[in-house]
Amino acid sequence: MLAKCHSGAVCGVDARTVEIEVCSADGAPQFTMVGLPDQAVKEAKDRVSTAIGNSGFKKIESNITVNLAPADVRKEGPIYDLPIAVCLLAAAGKIKAPDLGDYALAGELALAGSVRRVQGILPIVLEMRRIGKKGILVPAENAAEASVVDGISVYPVRTLREAADFLAGTHVVEPVFADLKMLVAKGQEGGEDFADVKGQECAKRAIEVAVAGGHNLLMIGSPGAGKTMLARRIPSILPPLTPEEALEVTRIHSVAGKLEGGVSLVTRRPFRAPHHTVSDCGLLGGGTHPQPGEVSLAHRGVLFLDEFPEFRRNVLEVMRQPLEDGHVAISRAAAACDFPSRFMLVAAMNPCPCGYADDPTHVCRCSQRQVTAYRGKISGPLLDRIDIQLSLPPVSMRELLDAPQGEPSAVIRARVVEARQRQEVRFAGMPGVHCNADMRSRDLADFCRLDKAGQARMRGLIQELDLSARAYDRVLKVARTVADLAGSEDVRDEHVFEASRWRELDRTYWN
């Protein structure tokens, strides 16, 4: 007999439909699997046979052929254990499942017959909905994650026996559902607050502008200036994720296996802070079977690189293309994948190896050659892609003791959200452009027109700082954000002046 069902193969952050065909015929007992399976899929033969026996079914003694179609798509991981086992039971006549073709299945089997969680269940559920499946059977541990997809019933199963009896109609499994909008709204609560930060008012203003426009930010200051403290509070003023963005981010984390048990949805914008020893593969993504890296795990959120010059030069340089394009294309012999990576880069560094080059209360022990070599680890093309470069002075003891409590994150966030709403209206109908940092060069003439005073200031700025064309564009984008925060439709001279202050480190630190 022949039995068929469907599952999915994850490629990048998407999934492709995989049809599982199992034929049980008379002849010498053997188990043959075809369809470009990897080693983990081939090992399903032993897991499936043992799980069937330990689930109360009689051992199947027949000539078994399993085909995973299409044959040109590589099948990876233990996700096909459950569909193969159920199809084998149906093909061998152990269960009658006339509606098997209406359902999709995914899950790893333990030898005792229990169903274990798998990675990448969310893109598979989305693909099964696309092809019109009535429902999908998933491990109970993956049920919360899978249930955020509307339009398809998600059935959590804990054992192979439970799945087989449900498809045979002798056992009831209630589908699980989730309210996507409610989950997103509920998950915005909590986090560290800018009210805890005393002093550094100029830095807070720069961070507010950076978040309001989605601009990349570099903070330079001596140890204890508050760089890390400020960076870790940036998520508290980021605009809330929309339900569509939450699903997009969750799909990446699902493929990477970063969702903890019971977590159904990433409801807050990601904040990723990899150590400076990270490899280029860990940052960008890749591997024999490509997996998303830190730049993709930070999609729609913040990638914080502390001790910026301590990262290896080749690691930093691989970020240039994702910063510009918003995605990472990875090609390997096994597969070619495309991972989204539209993130806000926040970097922090000391002004010199010892950290005290600009500190009036400490003596710098570094030679000029050491300082130049240290700062030279950050290349000009990478600096060009950082819109706001900010120098943080050390915080005095008087500020720490006497300064009033800072402005709460909720107040700052309200201004940021208002500015982002203006940008959403402005860029409506422009695919891929959601905030000022996303604007293309050809958009600047339409949305960043300067008055005569602003044009004169920009000409002087270009001559004074010797800005590249890319840096010029980024100053205009930041000025547009400053205008949005001020509620101005026009970009005026004072907006250009404030934006230009955050490019002066091009001259004082690197030129």
Side-chain angles (χ1 to χ4, degrees):
M1 291 179 62
L2 179 67
K4 300 179 183 180
C5 70
H6 287 87
S7 189
V10 176
C11 182
V13 295
D14 298 312
R16 293 185 60 178
T17 301
V18 173
E19 184 178 39
I20 292 93
E21 300 175 302
V22 178
C23 181
S24 177
D26 294 335
Q30 66 176 18
F31 196 113
T32 305
M33 188 178 298
V34 296
L36 206 59
D38 73 349
Q39 187 60 37
V41 179
K42 291 177 181 177
E43 291 170 353
K45 174 182 72 171
D46 300 314
R47 290 193 298 271
V48 166
S49 299
T50 306
I52 286 177
N54 289 332
S55 297
F57 296 101
K58 188 177 179 181
K59 187 176 181 181
I60 299 173
E61 299 281 355
S62 61
N63 191 317
I64 301 165
T65 303
V66 177
N67 180 39
L68 306 176
D72 60 341
V73 175
R74 187 168 181 81
K75 321 302 184 306
E76 301 170 1
I79 198 169
Y80 306 104
D81 290 3
L82 181 61
I84 289 173
V86 169
C87 282
L88 180 54
L89 290 171
K94 303 298 182 182
I95 62 170
K96 293 183 179 180
D99 298 328
L100 181 59
D102 295 335
Y103 295 91
L105 300 94
E108 177 185 354
L109 288 178
L111 297 183
S114 59
V115 182
R116 291 173 172 162
R117 67 176 289 118
V118 292
Q119 291 181 203
I121 199 68
L122 185 56
I124 291 174
V125 177
L126 289 168
E127 174 66 8
M128 295 303 103
R129 181 185 67 176
R130 186 191 68 81
I131 65 174
K133 288 298 174 182
K134 178 180 177 181
I136 179 169
L137 278 66
V138 302
E141 292 181 67
N142 287 118
E145 173 190 345
S147 64
V148 300
V149 181
D150 294 329
I152 184 171
S153 297
V154 175
Y155 298 92
V157 292
R158 289 176 172 79
T159 64
L160 171 60
R161 186 84 207 194
E162 185 179 10
D165 290 346
F166 168 75
L167 292 169
T170 59
H171 179 72
V172 176
V173 177
E174 294 295 334
V176 293
F177 302 96
D179 188 330
L180 186 60
K181 292 183 178 180
M182 185 190 71
L183 287 172
V184 172
K186 186 178 179 181
Q188 301 301 326
E189 303 167 0
E192 297 179 283
D193 201 292
F194 269 97
D196 304 328
V197 182
K198 292 187 176 183
Q200 300 294 13
E201 298 305 321
C202 292
K204 293 177 189 175
R205 170 62 178 175
I207 289 172
E208 180 181 340
V209 172
V211 172
H215 304 290
N216 300 320
L217 171 69
L218 171 63
M219 295 182 286
I220 303 177
S222 57
K227 303 184 294 295
T228 303
M229 185 180 188
L230 288 164
R232 292 197 177 277
R233 280 157 177 76
I234 289 177
S236 68
I237 63 171
L238 286 169
L241 282 171
T242 65
E244 293 76 18
E245 287 175 335
L247 205 58
E248 188 179 358
V249 173
T250 304
R251 185 163 57 173
I252 299 171
H253 287 244
S254 173
V255 169
K258 299 297 183 181
L259 289 179
E260 299 176 0
V263 175
S264 59
L265 194 71
V266 177
T267 55
R268 303 191 70 190
R269 293 189 181 272
F271 182 88
R272 303 291 301 182
H275 192 260
H276 63 260
T277 56
V278 68
S279 66
D280 53 353
C281 182
L283 190 67
L284 196 68
T288 306
H289 304 295
Q291 288 286 303
E294 293 292 339
V295 298
S296 296
L297 293 171
H299 181 64
R300 301 295 182 195
V302 174
L303 178 66
F304 177 48
L305 301 184
D306 202 2
E307 305 297 341
F308 200 35
E310 300 299 333
F311 286 81
R312 290 194 294 273
R313 179 73 176 260
N314 66 302
V315 172
L316 294 178
E317 293 306 308
V318 298
M319 285 198 304
R320 285 159 53 179
Q321 187 245 344
L323 283 170
E324 201 74 22
D325 300 339
H327 67 91
V328 178
I330 297 174
S331 297
R332 297 290 184 270
C337 302
D338 193 270
F339 296 112
S341 59
R342 195 163 292 283
F343 59 92
M344 176 183 167
L345 173 65
V346 177
M349 61 179 284
N350 296 327
C352 66
C354 78
Y356 296 112
D358 296 333
D359 194 326
T361 62
H362 293 80
V363 177
C364 176
R365 303 185 303 273
C366 305
S367 67
Q368 186 58 47
R369 176 175 291 183
Q370 288 175 313
V371 174
T372 302
Y374 180 76
R375 296 174 182 175
K377 294 179 181 180
I378 314 301
S379 69
L382 183 57
L383 278 173
D384 265 356
R385 290 167 169 82
I386 299 178
D387 307 7
I388 297 177
Q389 300 165 13
L390 179 66
S391 179
L392 274 68
V395 181
S396 67
M397 188 58 64
R398 181 176 179 179
E399 285 181 295
L400 289 175
L401 296 177
D402 301 336
Q405 189 178 40
E407 195 175 26
S409 291
V411 176
I412 303 173
R413 188 182 199 178
R415 295 196 296 265
V416 167
V417 170
E418 187 177 351
R420 284 286 185 110
Q421 288 172 346
R422 290 193 183 96
Q423 294 165 45
E424 288 288 347
V425 173
R426 180 184 303 130
F427 303 131
M430 297 174 61
V433 182
H434 303 284
C435 59
N436 290 332
D438 294 336
M439 280 193 290
R440 299 153 295 194
S441 296
R442 63 176 180 270
D443 301 325
L444 298 179
D446 296 327
F447 303 120
C448 301
R449 283 192 291 267
L450 302 176
D451 56 18
K452 289 185 178 180
Q455 291 174 8
R457 187 174 295 279
M458 282 301 299
R459 282 193 293 270
L461 184 66
I462 292 171
Q463 293 174 357
E464 182 183 2
L465 299 181
D466 191 24
L467 295 181
S468 68
R470 181 184 286 114
Y472 168 79
D473 287 353
R474 292 183 181 271
V475 171
L476 282 179
K477 293 177 183 180
V478 174
R480 176 69 267 176
T481 303
V482 174
D484 287 337
L485 284 168
S488 172
E489 286 300 319
D490 301 319
V491 181
R492 297 197 291 267
D493 177 44
E494 60 265 28
H495 306 142
V496 177
F497 172 69
E498 186 172 7
S500 68
R501 291 167 49 209
W502 294 317
R503 295 300 306 196
E504 292 179 354
L505 296 187
D506 277 339
R507 177 185 58 186
T508 57
Y509 272 77
W510 281 275
N511 292 337

